[in-house]
Structure formats: structure tokens, C-alpha cells
């Protein structure tokens, strides 16, 4: 079998199925990554969402029998919405990060990898292939960097010269001995724009991230958002793009190659108040297809309350009182109490006083007291 010819054929085919960039690397262990992950674990910088077994994350041989190469694919996603939301005075909106615009990218990448697998298997029926994206064991980023898709920026994103870092990536481990591609040179140089732009200081020099301080991670958690980050979340209901928008290599990058990635502005930039009263079914219908819905309704509702507090939206007070009085969840009630304190006013004050007498949960009570203290300082 002529594997360099097959590689050319795969590259040519990838273009026809909407893969914007493809790269090849060996299936050698990711030794440098392994050391980095151990360091991260020691420092407590991990998000907890990642595969816990560092060996599996860094050794392709544990995932596929006798692997010989890994193919990395990248699809560029849009950075700007084609259709603008209609802004009405007093109607506050939240924002989903770009990676949650349009159809869930896991589905898009899986589809392309599946088609690539079928193409390869038609050529070599005995080939062993294993594809993954994001939730797989391997680090999509480490693979993409080694396969020459882009370099790893100080913002921890893979930056391509063609599309900046606005790309979705996934990979396929194969049993086929493809020639590896060359690395893209790191072009961050002395720039620190992403570090300066990060609202929480989550980026650490040397291309590390402390997930526990990262808004993108925090918006995906299910518990109370720690106090120090609440004001910094702003109107982000899911994810954070600040370290990407700050990057000079993303300037002017805005690609609309894939129809399924086009955001519905009413979903990507949703009105905040209606989010608070969505039923599970309504949430699924409106947001179920986007990647930002993967943790369910509750974290988005909590973040929407923080965003309403950020805007000090007085019209949201009755909605927040309803949450405080009717919701069973400690996080929802606690966040509503805090948001009421932040927004302030007579109505909020009365509701918080009433809740203080009624509430028995110590965590919610703590937030009610914080809310009352904020109003007292007004
Ligand atoms: S996603 Fe936001 S919070 Fe996280 S590192 Fe980037 S700028 Fe900082
Ligand atoms: S903002 Fe500057 S330092 Fe950060 S990833 Fe982009 S080029 Fe690199």
C-alpha cells in the first residue's frame, strides 16, 4: 500500500466533506503533555471534566491496538453573527461563547470523522480506527499541535494562521503509518494580550490555565459561583471568549463555511428574564441543540441571574423573587437572593427580609444576608 498516496487522497477527500484543515502525526506518547498534566494536577488547576487517567490521555497505545498515526481535523467557526438581535430598550440579553453557536460541535466533528473513517475503510477494510472529540481520552489540542494544525497559544487555544483559534478540532487514531506533518511555529512571541484581557487572571505565563479561575469553566459548574467571580462573569451565560477576542491572530477572522454552525441570535444571545422560568422541556426545545446545554438548564439559569444582577435590571426583581420563593434548589435560591441584593430597591429588600425569616438552609441564608448587606450599603 502506498501510504503517501492514500494520505494525499484523504487530504483531497477531507476538503470535499467540509474539513477546513487536516494534519497527521505519529501515535507516540505525548510525554511533554503528561508532565504538564501531572503539574496541573499537583497545582489543582484541573476542571474535573477531563479524563482522569493521565496515562490514557497521553498514550494512544492504550486506546487502540498498535496505533501508527493520528489524524487531526479542524473546522473553522464563525466569530460574528450574520443576523443581529433586535435590541429593545430594557430587554437584557446574555451571551453564549462562540463555541456554543449553532449545532453542538461534537455532532459536527463526529459526523466529519465518521465520513473520513468510511472513506479510509473503503480503501483499507482492515484498518483500525478510533475517532474522538473533546470528551475522548486524548487532548484534542495536543494532537492538533503535533499534527501541524496550529500552535498552542498563551491563551491555551490552538491558533492556526488561516482561521485563528476559532476552530473546532477532533482526531482519529489509526493503525496506518502515515508520514507526520511539520509543526506550525509558535508565533505568540512577547505578546501578552490574552493574559491581560482575562478578567479573572486564569491564564498563567507559559500557556497554562487555572480552570478553577476560568469563567468558561465556572459557567459550566453546578454549584454556587464563588463570590470573587460573580461580578466578573458579566452577561456570559455560557463560556467566555475574552482571551480569544483579544488575540491579534483572530483579528478579522470570521468564517461562515458551515451552515449548521450559523447561530440563531435568539439562542446565542438570549433574553435573560425568560430563561428563569423555562421548564425542562422548553429549555430542551430552545437550547437543547447547542453545546452549551450539556450541563442542563440549572447552570444557565444561575448564570442568567448573575447576568441580570450585572445589569442591575430592576424589571427582573419579580422573576428573581419567584425563584427565591418557589425554587427547591439551594443554588438557584442563593443566587436569586444575591442578585436581588445586587439590584436592590424596596421590593427586593422586602422579599429578602421575608425570605430571611422563612429560610432554613444555611447556604441560602448566607446569600440572603449578603443581599441584605448590599442593599443596606446603597
Ligand atoms: S476563557 Fe475567559 S476566564 Fe477563561 S482564560 Fe480565557 S479570558 Fe480567562
Ligand atoms: S493574544 Fe498574544 S500571547 Fe495570547 S495567544 Fe494570541 S498571540 Fe499568543
Amino acid at each position: 500500500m502506498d501510504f503517501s498516496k492514500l494520505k494525499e487522497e484523504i487530504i483531497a477527500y477531507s476538503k470535499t466533506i467540509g474539513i477546513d484543515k487536516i494534519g497527521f502525526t505519529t501515535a507516540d506518547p505525548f510525554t511533554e503533555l503528561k508532565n504538564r498534566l501531572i503539574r496541573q494536577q499537583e497545582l489543582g488547576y484541573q476542571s474535573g471534566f477531563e479524563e482522569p487517567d493521565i496515562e490514557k490521555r497521553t498514550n494512544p497505545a492504550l486506546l487502540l491496538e498498535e496505533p501508527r498515526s493520528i489524524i487531526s481535523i479542524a473546522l473553522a467557526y464563525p466569530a460574528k453573527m450574520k443576523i443581529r438581535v433586535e435590541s429593545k430598550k430594557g430587554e437584557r440579553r446574555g451571551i453564549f461563547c462562540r463555541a456554543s453557536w449553532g449545532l453542538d460541535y461534537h455532532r459536527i466533528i463526529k459526523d466529519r470523522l465518521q465520513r473520513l473513517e468510511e472513506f479510509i475503510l473503503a480503501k483499507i477494510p482492515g484498518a483500525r480506527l478510533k475517532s474522538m472529540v473533546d470528551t475522548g481520552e486524548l487532548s484534542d489540542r495536543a494532537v492538533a499541535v503535533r499534527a501541524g494544525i496550529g500552535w498552542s497559544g498563551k491563551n491555551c487555544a490552538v491558533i492556526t494562521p488561516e482561521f485563528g483559534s476559532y476552530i473546532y478540532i477532533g482526531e482519529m487514531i489509526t493503525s496506518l503509518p502515515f508520514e507526520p506533518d511539520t509543526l506550525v511555529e509558535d508565533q505568540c512571541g512577547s505578546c501578552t494580550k490574552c493574559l491581560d484581557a482575562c478578567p479573572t487572571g486564569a491564564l498563567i505565563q507559559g500557556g497554562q490555565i487555572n480552570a478553577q479561575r476560568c469563567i468558561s469553566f465556572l459557567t459550566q459548574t453546578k454549584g454556587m459561583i464563588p463570590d470573587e467571580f460573580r461580578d466578573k462573569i458579566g452577561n456570559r451565560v455560557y463560556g467566555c471568549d475574552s482571551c480569544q477576542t483579544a488575540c491579534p491572530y483572530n483579528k478579522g477572522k470570521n468564517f461562515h463555511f458551515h451552515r449548521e454552525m450559523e447561530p440563531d441570535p435568539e439562542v446565542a444571545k438570549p433574553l435573560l428574564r425568560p430563561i428563569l422560568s423555562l421548564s425542562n422541556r422548553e429549555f430542551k426545545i430552545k437550547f437543547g441543540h447547542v453545546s452549551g446545554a450539556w450541563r442542563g438548564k440549572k447552570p444557565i439559569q444561575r448564570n442568567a441571574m448573575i447576568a441580570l444582577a450585572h445589569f442591575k435590571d430592576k424589571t427582573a426583581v419579580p422573576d428573581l423573587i419567584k425563584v427565591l420563593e418557589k425554587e427547591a434548589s439551594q443554588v438557584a435560591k442563593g443566587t436569586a437572593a444575591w442578585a436581588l441584593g445586587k439590584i436592590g430597591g424596596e421590593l427586593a429588600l422586602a422579599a429578602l427580609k421575608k425570605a430571611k425569616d422563612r429560610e432554613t438552609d444555611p447556604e441560602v441564608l448566607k446569600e440572603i444576608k449578603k443581599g441584605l448587606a448590599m442593599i443596606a450599603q446603597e
Side-chain angles (χ1 to χ4, degrees):
M1 183 75 202
D2 182 346
F3 285 102
S4 62
K5 185 164 166 270
L6 179 61
K7 181 175 167 181
E8 289 312 314
E9 285 172 351
I10 292 171
I11 294 170
Y13 177 69
S14 73
K15 307 286 169 224
T16 69
I17 57 166
I19 290 173
D20 301 321
K21 193 164 185 183
I22 187 163
F24 294 72
T25 182
T26 67
D28 295 342
F30 293 83
T31 331
E32 202 193 307
L33 173 68
K34 186 175 167 182
N35 297 334
R36 193 146 37 90
L37 291 175
I38 293 170
R39 264 201 319 275
Q40 255 188 328
Q41 213 170 44
E42 285 166 358
L43 292 164
Y45 286 175
Q46 291 186 307
S47 71
F49 294 148
E50 56 279 278
E51 159 69 50
D53 187 337
I54 290 182
E55 282 301 325
K56 272 195 189 162
R57 286 178 74 190
T58 54
N59 189 357
L62 296 177
L63 308 172
L64 185 87
E65 194 194 334
E66 289 181 42
R68 303 289 295 277
S69 65
I70 313 176
I71 304 174
S72 174
I73 65 164
L75 273 70
Y77 61 77
K80 291 200 171 103
M81 291 187 210
K82 275 188 183 165
I83 315 163
R84 291 187 155 269
V85 281
E86 217 186 295
S87 279
K88 286 201 195 109
K89 205 171 171 275
E91 283 190 342
R92 298 299 192 173
R93 291 180 181 271
I95 181 86
F96 279 75
C97 70
R98 290 166 176 77
S100 181
W101 289 2
L103 181 68
D104 185 344
Y105 71 91
H106 297 85
R107 286 165 65 180
I108 302 174
I109 296 286
K110 266 184 202 157
D111 166 76
R112 301 307 192 274
L113 287 166
Q114 167 86 34
R115 289 204 241 171
L116 212 53
E117 280 195 11
E118 283 162 13
F119 180 82
I120 296 170
L121 287 171
K123 303 267 175 194
I124 306 184
R128 290 187 305 284
L129 310 169
K130 186 178 165 81
S131 294
M132 57 192 78
V133 47
D134 184 38
T135 49
E137 294 88 344
L138 289 182
S139 155
D140 299 335
R141 286 180 197 164
V143 175
V145 168
R146 209 171 72 183
I149 295 285
W151 77 92
S152 181
K154 288 180 196 169
N155 60 3
C156 296
V158 176
I159 306 177
T160 65
E162 305 89 333
F163 314 113
S165 62
Y166 296 135
I167 50 163
Y168 297 130
I169 46 183
E171 61 274 341
M172 183 195 300
I173 313 172
T174 92
S175 60
L176 312 172
F178 295 116
E179 197 58 36
D181 289 324
T182 47
L183 298 183
V184 175
E185 193 194 342
D186 185 330
Q187 288 163 52
C188 280
S190 58
C191 174
T192 57
K193 284 197 158 90
C194 53
L195 281 93
D196 305 338
C198 176
T200 57
L203 293 170
I204 296 135
Q205 273 286 10
Q208 277 209 74
I209 190 162
N210 180 354
Q212 300 300 325
R213 295 192 66 81
C214 173
I215 289 172
S216 188
F217 161 73
L218 289 164
T219 57
Q220 300 177 54
T221 58
K222 289 193 169 171
M224 288 298 294
I225 297 282
D227 285 27
E228 74 167 300
F229 303 119
R230 291 184 198 169
D231 285 334
K232 296 189 166 146
I233 284 179
N235 71 331
R236 300 173 182 91
V237 286
Y238 182 83
C240 168
D241 279 330
S242 297
C243 55
Q244 293 207 84
T245 48
C247 179
Y249 291 100
N250 281 335
K251 209 162 188 256
K253 301 284 196 293
N254 176 30
F255 298 98
H256 293 261
F257 296 148
H258 311 278
R259 206 184 309 150
E260 63 266 61
M261 293 181 192
E262 288 305 324
D264 171 351
E266 290 299 332
V267 175
K269 244 183 146 183
L271 289 170
L272 288 166
R273 276 178 47 211
I275 292 178
L276 303 197
S277 55
L278 285 179
S279 68
N280 286 342
R281 199 180 128 75
E282 287 164 340
F283 178 80
K284 225 172 164 188
I285 291 169
K286 178 147 189 180
F287 298 107
H289 63 287
V290 303
S291 62
W294 79 285
R295 298 282 276 172
K297 183 182 77 171
K298 298 274 178 208
I300 304 287
Q301 285 182 324
R302 175 202 58 196
N303 303 339
M305 288 192 269
I306 292 173
L308 286 163
H310 158 77
F311 287 125
K312 295 203 187 305
D313 184 353
K314 282 237 163 26
T315 68
V317 167
D319 306 87
L320 291 164
I321 292 174
K322 215 163 152 191
V323 175
L324 183 61
E325 288 177 352
K326 303 251 157 47
E327 271 288 337
S329 134
Q330 181 191 68
V331 174
K333 284 201 285 186
T335 309
W338 175 83
L340 283 168
K342 201 80 195 154
I343 297 168
E346 289 299 316
L347 206 57
L349 178 63
L352 283 171
K353 279 183 177 162
K354 224 165 95 187
K356 187 170 165 254
D357 296 335
R358 179 187 65 227
E359 190 57 54
T360 50
D361 184 312
E363 287 307 310
V364 181
L365 262 173
K366 215 158 79 187
E367 298 299 331
I368 292 171
K369 284 177 190 163
K370 270 186 222 168
L372 285 167
M374 279 190 271
I375 295 180
Q377 279 172 11
E378 265 180 359

